[in-house]
Amino acid sequence: MAPQSLKKNYRCSRSLKQFYSGGPFVVSSDGSFIVCACGDAINIVDASDSSVKSTIEGESDSLTALALSPDDKLLFSGGHSRQIRVWDLETKVLVWDVDGGFCTHYFKGHKGVVSSVLFHPDANKNIVVNVWDLHDYSCKTTVATYEVLEAVTIVSSGSPFASFIASLDQKSKKKKTSSQETHFITLGERGVVRIWKSEGSVCLYEQKSSDITVSSDDEESKRGFTAAAMLPSDRGLLCVTADQQFFIYSVVENVEEPELVLRKRLVGYNEEISDMKFLGDEEQFLAVATNLEEVRVYDVATMSCSYVLAGHKEVVLSLDTCVSSSGNVLVVTGSKDKTVRLWNATSQSCIGVGTGHNGDILAVAFAKKSFSFFVSGSGDRTLKVWSLDGISEDSEEPINLKTRSVVAAHDKDINSVAVARNDSLVCTGSEDRTASIWRLPDLVHVVTLKGHKRRIFSVEFSPVDQCVMTASGDKTVKIWAISDGSCLKTFEGHTSSVLRASFITDGTQFVSCGADGLLKLWNVNTSECIATYDQHEDKVWALAVGKKTEMVATGGGDAVINIWHDSTASDKEDEFRKEEKTILRGQELENAVLDAEYTKAIRLAFELRRPHKVYELFAGLCKKRESDDQIVKALQGLEKEEFRLLFEYLREWNTKPNRCHIAQFVLYQTFNILPPTEIVQVKGIGELLEGLIPYSQRHFNRMDRFVRSSFLLDYTLGEMSVIDPKTDTEYPKDKKIEEETREMEQEPEADQKTPSRKRKSQKSKDRSSKKRLVAEAQG
């Protein structure tokens, strides 16, 4: 085994979540957010990073189109009522509120459900575009598009699109019309962008082919566009597809024939993610296989979809990537259509197709050293080795791939395959609860790994040792010796099936994910789970590990892709900087104490979270003159969060008899300077006061007992003539009392001349005489 390595920490740096699942949407006037109506919820999406800022619950089922006026004061809505309503909003809000608005006008005239509404024109299912005049609410022009339209948008003057249209207008050889003519863009079921001029109903531009990838002609639900909007500040044209993708088009300038190009693609919903791998030498891209017939390639930095690899007829189930000797990035995919496809990701083209399997292809893997072959495992229980010799990576048309060898590897479906680092062995994991190791290129059986109680989902060779790691549905991960097939280690910790496991840190650690939605980091030597990360809400089917960057990507049934970066170095650096800052602040605290700047010292002590130092400062202030003013001044400089800490410290001090006096004094001053309205705003004040009140009552009860006991002590000492009794009432004095008093005043001089025994007896007489005087005075 490899030597034990240092602990690694991973931090989720990016997350791609679902934000759009179909429905009308509207872009704000500044382009900073998009409002989407999907189902019973309305999502406000940040346009910069695709994150959902907030979600508003509301009944939007009847709405099919939305539009905001440039000043966001008017809302245009259309739906199943076949009417367009203009709403005058009472207040400026980011989203509409039908109950809070007042409907001012109705536009009637559409024969079908309104599918798109803008500030100017409208489109419907009647394959026409109506242009309305807002002054008299009359229909000016009707343009027949001969296509079921889903969206229409206006081209404003002064934008790159306006210049583009001007050049198109010149080429159309049509007579120029007035400057008030209307140009608009239509999108519909064909999935192409078309630009129109209302005067004469002229189509000025039409895309040659659609950018929407559709594998099957009968999938009408996934064809065409559903909505569109012009982005502000000349950012382009935003189009939404039926499969929840956002396309951003821009005009290509400085070319002979200007045209629209797809500049950016945002995916609103990925469906269930089955597999993923990093692409390229720098691993800046991530290839993702979802519950679709295409592979989506994401830019890791921006999490935007750069391009798609479309060609399979059914869902893609598995994929693998490599960099060939010529520098091209290759991708191999396996699908439910029982074929494997080889792609050149650099040119985004399919260069090879392999047929021959009789079941779903559940696993594929490239060779690790020579890249001259790849292997595939299928539901037909066979393992195939496909040759890449003689394949042109720049081919425009795919060629038929040939197999080197085939073997019936298992009794049930093969779920996973892996190739050794030296391309000498291949390992398969199956539904039959076993894993088998085969020698390449002839697929000679080497050893069978038996021990798992349920099916095996993942297999992988160690990068440094002669062993194999398997992940199973029995909630365990096992490491096996290749030589004899013995189980070396078993890792337990997942609460459900382990679906993927992969080595990192040169084989000294590995990560695993499972049906419990957890990602776990393990140490191989100690068999210890170092960390557990919970960022998924469903099964984690896909796990990708970067070879150079050691980034980790996870995806699963919740349609979320999480990118994890190794934060070990940054965490150590942050810890070092924090420690350095603490030392400097500590020195500043000591200097403040020496300079008698108690207000500054207390603030620093709170900042450094030093409750003992805070107590020492308050105790020192209490011993000084005019301590009240200094304590009040120190307390007035505290923030709300520091007041919460102060109450926590006071609660702790109040429980100790030797510190309760300082706690009560500071608490008294705190309640004097803080009004009740601010006290109740302190976080957790209820729980803190519940901890303060019982001990405070106990302290006050003890003080009452001490006061009562002091009365008895005063009386006892008075009776013992140690102290004179305090009298508040003047009693009448007769001559006898005055004489005895004078005798008592003269007796000390006599006592100095009498022996000690007589002096003692004289004292007893004095006591008796005092008692008598007191009794007579009280009588």
Side-chain angles (χ1 to χ4, degrees):
M1 290 293 177
Q4 182 176 356
S5 64
L6 297 175
K7 174 182 176 181
K8 275 186 177 292
N9 296 326
Y10 276 89
R11 181 185 302 156
C12 183
S13 57
R14 295 182 186 87
S15 183
L16 179 63
K17 298 183 179 181
Q18 172 186 355
F19 65 84
Y20 183 72
S21 60
F25 77 98
V26 61
V27 182
S28 66
S29 58
D30 58 358
S32 61
F33 63 90
I34 304 169
V35 181
C36 306
C38 49
D40 293 335
I42 300 170
N43 290 330
I44 302 176
V45 183
D46 193 328
S48 61
D49 57 3
S50 307
S51 62
V52 178
K53 298 170 62 176
S54 61
T55 299
I56 300 173
E57 300 295 334
E59 295 185 0
S60 58
D61 291 355
S62 61
L63 294 176
T64 58
L66 295 168
L68 282 171
S69 62
D71 56 1
D72 289 339
K73 291 182 179 180
L74 293 179
L75 173 67
F76 289 69
S77 64
H80 292 279
S81 62
R82 303 179 183 179
Q83 297 175 347
I84 303 171
R85 298 181 178 182
V86 184
W87 300 90
D88 185 4
L89 302 180
E90 294 181 351
T91 58
K92 268 194 172 182
V93 292
L94 298 182
V95 295
W96 61 95
D97 184 359
V98 175
D99 295 332
F102 177 75
C103 185
T104 57
H105 296 92
Y106 291 88
F107 293 90
K108 298 181 180 180
H110 286 288
K111 304 302 181 182
V113 177
V114 178
S115 60
S116 181
V117 181
L118 287 97
F119 194 70
H120 211 135
D122 185 25
N124 61 15
K125 296 294 184 181
N126 287 336
I127 321 179
V128 297
V129 175
N130 292 333
V131 182
W132 303 86
D133 191 339
L134 291 180
H135 296 288
D136 55 3
Y137 303 105
S138 61
C139 182
K140 294 296 184 183
T141 307
T142 298
V143 180
T145 61
Y146 303 101
E147 175 190 10
V148 177
L149 297 182
E150 297 291 346
V152 61
T153 182
I154 290 293
V155 178
S156 59
S157 60
S159 66
F161 276 85
S163 303
F164 178 45
I165 291 175
S167 63
L168 295 175
D169 223 353
Q170 293 177 357
K171 293 181 179 180
S172 64
K173 297 181 181 179
K174 296 289 183 180
K175 182 179 179 181
K176 287 189 177 181
T177 58
S178 64
S179 59
Q180 297 181 352
E181 64 184 5
T182 303
H183 294 92
F184 56 89
I185 301 174
T186 60
L187 303 99
E189 63 176 356
R190 294 171 56 190
V192 296
V193 178
R194 294 198 288 176
I195 302 177
W196 297 80
K197 182 170 64 173
S198 61
E199 297 294 334
S201 303
V202 178
C203 180
L204 299 177
Y205 175 82
E206 180 177 349
Q207 279 185 313
K208 297 178 181 179
S209 61
S210 175
D211 291 311
I212 303 174
T213 56
V214 180
S215 301
S216 178
D217 294 335
D218 58 355
E219 293 185 3
E220 296 293 338
S221 62
K222 292 186 178 182
R223 299 187 63 185
F225 293 105
T226 60
M230 293 295 298
L231 296 177
S233 302
D234 299 334
R235 297 179 183 176
L237 173 66
L238 174 64
C239 305
V240 181
T241 68
D243 57 349
Q244 296 86 47
Q245 296 187 66
F246 280 51
F247 289 177
I248 299 178
Y249 287 96
S250 60
V251 177
V252 177
E253 300 178 353
N254 299 324
V255 294
E256 295 181 358
E257 295 184 359
E259 62 177 354
L260 295 179
V261 295
L262 180 60
R263 178 169 55 87
K264 194 172 185 180
R265 184 197 305 254
L266 301 176
V267 177
Y269 187 60
N270 270 312
E271 301 189 25
E272 189 169 0
I273 298 170
S274 57
D275 201 1
M276 60 174 60
K277 290 292 187 298
F278 285 102
L279 278 179
D281 287 331
E282 302 301 326
E283 298 170 353
Q284 70 272 28
F285 294 101
L286 182 68
V288 180
T290 67
N291 197 20
L292 297 171
E293 302 82 3
E294 62 188 22
V295 175
R296 293 172 174 173
V297 180
Y298 287 92
D299 188 334
V300 175
T302 62
M303 292 307 293
S304 62
C305 184
S306 298
Y307 56 91
V308 297
L309 302 176
H312 282 287
K313 301 301 181 182
E314 294 191 39
V315 176
V316 178
L317 299 176
S318 57
L319 62 89
D320 196 14
T321 63
C322 74
V323 179
S324 66
S325 56
S326 60
N328 289 321
V329 179
L330 302 181
V331 180
V332 61
T333 56
S335 170
K336 291 187 70 175
D337 60 9
K338 304 176 184 178
T339 65
V340 292
R341 282 182 175 265
L342 182 65
W343 309 81
N344 184 345
T346 306
S347 61
Q348 305 175 21
S349 61
C350 179
I351 60 176
V353 178
T355 59
H357 279 292
N358 294 321
D360 301 343
I361 301 177
L362 304 174
V364 291
F366 272 113
K368 303 301 180 184
K369 186 178 180 180
S370 62
F371 303 112
S372 60
F373 68 91
F374 68 88
V375 297
S376 63
S378 171
D380 60 7
R381 309 171 189 178
T382 61
L383 173 67
K384 289 179 179 286
V385 180
W386 303 83
S387 176
L388 299 181
D389 295 336
I391 295 180
S392 174
E393 297 178 2
D394 299 327
S395 175
E396 296 181 357
E397 295 294 332
I399 64 173
N400 293 326
L401 301 176
K402 298 181 180 180
T403 58
R404 288 183 179 178
S405 54
V406 182
V407 65
H410 290 272
D411 297 332
K412 293 184 178 181
D413 297 357
I414 299 176
N415 291 326
S416 180
V417 295
V419 180
R421 294 303 174 103
N422 58 1
D423 293 347
S424 62
L425 300 173
V426 61
C427 183
T428 56
S430 172
E431 294 273 343
D432 61 8
R433 299 176 293 180
T434 66
S436 296
I437 298 177
W438 310 83
R439 192 175 304 282
L440 292 171
D442 299 327
L443 295 181
V444 178
H445 183 263
V446 177
V447 66
T448 299
L449 311 178
K450 297 182 179 180
H452 281 294
K453 298 179 181 179
R454 293 190 178 181
R455 54 185 173 176
I456 296 175
F457 288 102
S458 175
V459 294
E460 184 171 324
F461 284 93
S462 171
V464 292
D465 296 321
Q466 297 295 318
C467 58
V468 174
M469 179 173 61
T470 59
S472 170
D474 60 8
K475 310 175 187 178
T476 65
V477 177
K478 293 179 180 290
I479 294 181
W480 311 79
I482 297 177
S483 58
D484 56 0
S486 61
C487 180
L488 303 177
K489 285 181 178 290
T490 300
F491 302 84
E492 298 179 351
H494 280 280
T495 58
S496 189
S497 300
V498 186
L499 303 177
R500 290 288 186 272
S502 184
F503 284 104
I504 61 172
T505 325
D506 295 329
T508 59
Q509 294 176 325
F510 71 89
V511 288
S512 63
C513 57
D516 51 10
L518 301 177
L519 174 68
K520 288 181 175 290
L521 176 64
W522 303 81
N523 188 303
V524 174
N525 287 344
T526 62
S527 302
E528 175 188 6
C529 179
I530 300 174
T532 300
Y533 308 98
D534 186 5
Q535 292 288 334
H536 287 277
E537 298 178 356
D538 205 339
K539 299 177 181 178
V540 184
W541 288 105
L543 174 66
V545 176
K547 298 177 182 178
K548 292 184 178 180
T549 61
E550 286 203 346
M551 287 189 301
V552 175
T554 55
D558 56 0
V560 175
I561 300 173
N562 288 328
I563 306 295
W564 306 80
H565 284 81
D566 182 6
S567 62
T568 307
S570 60
D571 288 346
K572 288 183 178 180
E573 185 178 356
D574 293 342
E575 185 178 353
F576 174 77
R577 290 179 179 177
K578 184 177 180 181
E579 184 179 357
E580 183 181 15
K581 182 180 178 181
T582 302
I583 293 173
L584 294 176
R585 302 296 279 179
Q587 184 62 46
E588 189 176 352
L589 171 61
E590 296 299 330
N591 294 337
V593 173
L594 293 176
D595 297 337
E597 298 179 359
Y598 289 99
T599 302
K600 180 179 179 181
I602 290 174
R603 286 292 303 275
L604 290 172
F606 273 108
E607 182 181 342
L608 296 173
R609 302 296 190 267
R610 295 183 181 179
H612 182 69
K613 193 65 178 180
V614 175
Y615 172 79
E616 290 181 349
L617 292 171
F618 279 123
L621 279 176
C622 290
K623 296 177 182 179
K624 296 183 177 294
R625 293 181 179 180
E626 300 179 356
S627 60
D628 294 358
D629 296 338
Q630 295 189 22
I631 290 179
V632 169
K633 184 178 179 181
L635 293 176
Q636 288 176 344
L638 299 181
E639 303 292 340
K640 288 186 178 180
E641 181 65 21
E642 292 171 342
F643 271 113
R644 184 186 65 80
L645 290 175
L646 176 61
F647 280 111
E648 290 182 359
Y649 297 162
L650 292 176
R651 181 181 60 179
E652 182 67 23
W653 302 342
N654 203 39
T655 60
K656 300 177 182 179
N658 60 335
R659 296 187 176 185
C660 65
H661 304 87
I662 304 298
Q664 289 296 323
F665 186 74
V666 176
L667 188 62
Y668 171 75
Q669 298 294 348
T670 303
F671 284 142
N672 280 341
I673 67 172
L674 280 183
T677 54
E678 293 186 13
I679 294 177
V680 296
Q681 293 179 359
V682 176
K683 185 178 180 181
I685 188 63
E687 182 181 353
L688 295 173
L689 292 180
E690 287 179 0
L692 279 167
I693 291 174
Y695 281 96
S696 297
Q697 291 177 345
R698 184 181 304 177
H699 297 326
F700 282 111
N701 292 337
R702 185 170 64 251
M703 291 173 64
D704 290 339
R705 291 196 302 270
F706 287 159
V707 171
R708 289 194 297 270
S709 300
S710 66
F711 293 156
L712 178 60
L713 179 61
D714 289 344
Y715 175 76
T716 302
L717 295 176
E719 290 299 315
M720 295 173 61
S721 299
V722 176
I723 62 174
D724 292 333
K726 295 181 179 180
T727 58
D728 297 333
T729 307
E730 294 183 359
Y731 296 98
K733 297 181 181 179
D734 53 13
K735 294 181 180 180
K736 186 176 180 180
I737 294 176
E738 292 177 358
E739 290 176 358
E740 291 180 355
T741 303
R742 285 194 298 271
E743 291 177 359
M744 291 171 61
E745 291 175 353
Q746 295 173 0
E747 281 175 0
E749 298 178 359
D751 289 343
Q752 295 176 1
K753 300 177 182 180
T754 57
S756 60
R757 290 184 180 178
K758 292 183 180 180
R759 235 182 283 137
K760 185 176 181 181
S761 61
Q762 187 65 30
K763 287 182 180 180
S764 61
K765 292 179 181 180
D766 294 341
R767 295 194 194 95
S768 61
S769 63
K770 283 185 178 182
K771 290 180 180 180
R772 185 171 63 255
L773 290 172
V774 173
E776 290 176 357
Q778 293 177 352

